[in-house]
Amino acid sequence: MNGSAGIEAAWRDHHPYLVNLAYRMLGDVGEAEDVAQEAFLRLAGADHEHVEDVRAWLTVVAGRLSLDVLRSARVRFERPDHAGALDTAAAVGSDPADRVTLDDQVGSALLTVLTRLSPGERVAFVLHDIFRVPFGEVADTVGRPVGTCRQLARRARSKVSTAAPALGEVSGGEHRHVTDAFITACANGDVLALASVLDPSVWGVGTVLTAPALRQVNHGRHDVATNLLRYLGPGATVVCAAEPVLLAYDRRRLFAVVVLTIRNGLVLKIEATADPSARMH
């Protein structure tokens, strides 16, 4: 990677992934965007000759930054002058830093499982089980031995498996691959890349929350991809809340919820609900 051109290329290729990674740990799109921004600032100041795998390097940095945010949240809520906050936190878990916030328009249901994990469990689980980061790198991020990180992920996996709904016929790995490509294509406004993850027979159903509500249906790769980019293209931040549900934000304000149906590694159906009044102009 060389100079500003390399940073720009890395931003196009990895920024959407990094925001999504941080969002999985933090549950707050604003904090996730801040973490991604800081990770790229550190990349710009790093010795690029020693950065062999940019994506892996950014993943470790974002993981550390996210863990710092979670630990900072714990310190804030444990201060004596936040007694009221501690009482509220007790309703959802013993550790206030376990709490995951989400825009009130959707509620916390999509990320309920993550609220049951400690900061260490959450980071270990998200990095290893969701984004397939080796435990050696997870250990560097969390600052604990590899064996401890395996135990953290194992405990998190047990909690998730007893609470999370099944993904049906589609594996988690298949969801991750498709949603990652989908989100990156949207972020870059790349209609061809977006069309490439859509099934030839794809159809999209959109409900726009106007008065009265407007329902729109599109068929085929080109029409569906073109219409999606009108709403989810550059300027929007799209994250995966829980497969197969995506959330779209405009300057940290939620404006759309998108549900993907995936078959054979491609998106077969897209159901979207959007509130245009929630977008800032």
Side-chain angles (χ1 to χ4, degrees):
M1 185 179 67
N2 297 315
S4 60
I7 295 294
E8 291 176 4
W11 181 278
R12 289 193 303 271
D13 293 342
H14 307 307
H15 180 260
Y17 157 83
L18 219 59
V19 173
N20 196 35
L21 171 80
Y23 182 83
R24 290 281 198 155
M25 299 183 207
L26 303 173
D28 182 282
V29 72
E31 290 180 339
E33 289 178 338
D34 290 343
V35 163
Q37 180 77 19
E38 178 62 25
F40 273 95
L41 286 174
R42 296 191 181 191
L43 177 64
D47 183 353
H48 296 163
E49 292 183 0
H50 295 92
V51 180
E52 296 180 1
D53 186 331
V54 175
R55 191 182 186 95
W57 191 95
L58 287 168
T59 297
V60 171
V61 172
R64 290 173 178 169
L65 291 170
S66 296
L67 189 57
D68 288 343
V69 171
L70 291 170
R71 287 170 174 164
S72 176
R74 175 191 291 170
V75 171
R76 289 198 306 273
F77 280 104
E78 286 180 349
R79 288 175 180 168
D81 59 348
H82 285 82
L86 283 172
D87 291 340
T88 302
V92 294
S94 60
D95 185 351
D98 291 349
R99 297 173 65 198
V100 176
T101 59
L102 188 61
D103 193 291
D104 289 340
Q105 296 177 68
V106 173
S108 61
L110 297 176
L111 295 173
T112 295
V113 175
L114 290 184
T115 67
R116 305 183 183 192
L117 310 182
S118 71
E121 288 173 341
R122 191 183 308 171
V123 172
F125 176 76
V126 170
L127 286 177
H128 181 266
D129 283 51
I130 296 180
F131 289 93
R132 302 301 181 190
V133 176
F135 273 119
E137 295 178 24
V138 175
D140 290 339
T141 300
V142 178
R144 300 188 186 183
V146 171
T148 300
C149 291
R150 291 184 184 276
Q151 292 177 354
L152 288 171
R154 188 180 301 115
R155 288 203 300 265
R157 198 176 301 123
S158 176
K159 294 177 183 179
V160 169
S161 65
T162 58
L167 293 178
E169 299 177 6
V170 184
S171 70
E174 184 177 347
H175 264 293
R176 281 189 301 274
H177 173 76
V178 175
T179 55
D180 186 39
F182 185 99
I183 289 171
T184 300
C186 287
N188 292 323
D190 191 336
V191 68
L192 294 179
L194 182 56
S196 72
V197 300
L198 304 180
D199 188 89
S201 60
V202 66
W203 60 297
V205 181
T207 301
V208 182
L209 301 179
T210 56
L214 175 65
R215 188 171 184 268
Q216 183 177 13
V217 180
N218 297 104
H219 295 274
R221 283 174 166 169
H222 180 268
D223 287 352
V224 171
T226 301
N227 188 63
L228 278 171
L229 290 182
R230 293 193 184 105
Y231 295 93
L232 307 182
T237 298
V238 183
V239 294
C240 183
E243 284 92 2
V245 181
L246 307 181
L247 304 179
Y249 292 83
D250 181 11
R251 279 161 282 189
R252 306 186 179 187
R253 186 177 181 182
L254 181 70
F255 72 88
V257 178
V258 181
V259 181
L260 305 180
T261 299
I262 299 172
R263 293 291 183 272
N264 300 320
L266 296 171
V267 178
L268 182 64
K269 182 180 178 182
I270 301 169
E271 300 167 271
T273 302
D275 180 4
S277 68
R279 298 208 70 172
M280 299 179 182
H281 300 286

